[in-house]
Amino acid sequence: MKSRVLVDFKATVLEFSRSPSAIFWTLAFPVILMLLFGAIYSGGGSGNFNLYVQDMDDSEWSRSFLENLTATGFVNVNMINTSLDAQQVITDNSLTNFLIIPAGFGANLSANESAVLEFRKDDSSQSALALYSIIEAVAQQMDPGLQNVSALISIDEKSLVFDDRFKFLDFFLPGVLALTIMNSTVNYMVFTIVEYRNRGIFRKMMTTPLKRPEWLASRILWQMVLGFISLLLILGIGVYLFDVNVTDDLNGVLMTIALILAGTALFTAMGMAVAGLIKDEQGAGALAGAITFPMMFLAGIFFPLEMMPEYLQTIAKVIPLTYLADGLRDSMIYGNMTGAWFNLMVVSGLAVVFAALGTVLTRWKQE
Amino acid sequence: MVEAHIEVKGLRKEYGNLIAVDGIDFEVRKGQVFSLLGPNGAGKTTTVEILECLRTATAGDVTILGLDLSQSSKIKRRIGVLPQGFNAFDLLTVKENVEYFAGMFEEAVDTDELLSWVKLENRKKDLFKNLSGGMKQRVGIAMSLVNDPEIVFLDEPTTGLDPGARRDVWRMVRNLRERGKTIVLTTHYMEEAETLSDYICIMNKGKIIVRGTPREIIKDHGGSPVAIVRGAGDRGLQALSPNFPDCELAGVDLKIPIPNGRRVSEILNTLDNADVHYDEIVIKKSTLEDVFLKLTGQEFKGGEEDEE
């Protein structure tokens, strides 16, 4: 017996291969995003925040501190001649972020005594807050006091270097994957269902033995295949061009696969619900956009949620995309299986809820 | 007597307060071209979509090929459907589209043969979206035959087609009839029903208002033929009205209903004797259109896409 699912799957692939707009949004869009943001955020040491530093200490400690700061990939360190007056330089050049490493910084540390870093910042500037936390983190990391404690716990801890964690592209890559899955799947389902319904293609399908679950299975299967194609594209660019650190741990890989499958199911169901709710093509397209667009910016794809104000963070918590992006970040980058499991459960649970909603809203059989 | 392929008893379909089909009965015999004729909104499509297992009836008994409508998956394997306003996958070719639908059935006929039969053997590799309306409709007819069905439903197969394409569809319907298929046709074209059908049910407002063969219907309900004398004017009217009291003048043309038993030559002689000049005489036989007008008192209106 021929499988109707396969017959429909073949048609789906053919349709896709002949639709330039589908190819663009599903395959080219994530590639462009990766290349664009990769170019902006990568490149040895040319970070996005400019920090002006006056190293009055010029010891091994201070030099290594600055090296670590540069290695985060987040900070562009500009050295200022120590003979100049700091305040004068700041005023003359309208500098916003200025760090002074006082003389004796290294000596104090070597002697296990407290040492002070002086960070002059413009509080109205957003970068100041980020820079402050980066400096703080780097300082903590090389703090001899803390290091002794961690050395006691485990040796591995030292290899967990901060600069890997802080690379923006590491953060960004799983987000782009989540975003692509959402955009591609929601839009595909909405436009396909509305088109097939309005052009009477469903009606024609209904006159054959093809059943709705068979049709759905084929379409979801294709979206999952597309999810994996996007994964490979994004990984290829991220890893080979921009040196993103992706975990190759088997559990992480399996978890990533599970998340892609669950995410595809979730957004397929969401697309069905939207198409079921709104019958005309333009209205459905508008609603799909109204749902996916804010999610794109509120789910912490382009910048970490922690950088957003409290109330936006609250909104982010009820956005499904947040959990897919977080889960993928946990499984692909951080190797945080506990977090990934939690996010997988949330995504799967939401998938079930939306699938029920979508099924109720899009009855195939007419009244 | 030839076996019945479709039996419908007391079929009703309500949408809330709206009654789309109001308790109709009919039978379609094997090998027949059966037409449901009526204006838009008469309930034709609702009726056939119930028979095609696309909609559920509110009430009534329907048997198709001896099967109850609850056995829809068995029925679907033995019927072919060209839905109203048919469309297929725009981005698939003609051949891919037909193969898709052939792939939905466990057993299917040869798709190449089918495409030759609908005269699309040279357009197999064209994308569906690039076809003309008539060609699209032929693809649809090919698709409705992939499972070699016993009954073919054609729901307004010629709506929106130009006269040439319409005639192509008619040829195919006649050909299918010769091959022994039972055909259920819905149309709002009187001419189409008249020329193709073995049996016609005229529907209006959810009810069948008249049924029979086209000849029977016209004979019983069509009234007499009408002679139209163009350019006869007032003088013609004066000459004819004593003998033909129903005679009426429209502009300079005379319309004279010819009662049973009277002859056209009578009109000609009367006009000649009175020395009335006229341009031409046309004898118009009664059509289904007249039947409809007579039965409902309303003008027959086709679909809005009707381009004729």
Side-chain angles (χ1 to χ4, degrees), chain A residues 2 4 7-8 11 14-15 18-19 196 199 201 203-210 365-367, chain B residues 13 49 53-56 76-77 81 84 87-92 96 100-102 104-106:
Chain A
K2 284 179 284 187
R4 286 186 282 271
V7 172
D8 187 76
L14 283 172
E15 270 194 307
R18 289 171 194 158
S19 164
Y196 284 11
R199 296 185 65 233
I201 293 176
R203 192 163 35 183
K204 177 64 197 174
M205 285 179 176
M206 281 164 64
T207 66
T208 73
L210 178 68
K365 190 146 184 159
Q366 287 150 315
E367 260 287 298
Chain B
K13 178 67 186 179
E49 287 190 347
C53 312
L54 299 187
R55 292 176 193 273
T56 47
K76 283 178 183 176
R77 285 173 170 81
V81 177
Q84 190 183 104
N87 260 309
F89 301 107
D90 264 348
L91 295 177
L92 297 196
E96 285 161 355
Y100 176 91
F101 285 94
M104 294 301 147
F105 295 93
E106 288 78 9

Side-chain angles (χ1 to χ4, degrees), chain B residues 16 98 104 154 187 271:
Chain B
V98 177
M104 294 301 147
L154 304 173
T187 179
L271 289 173

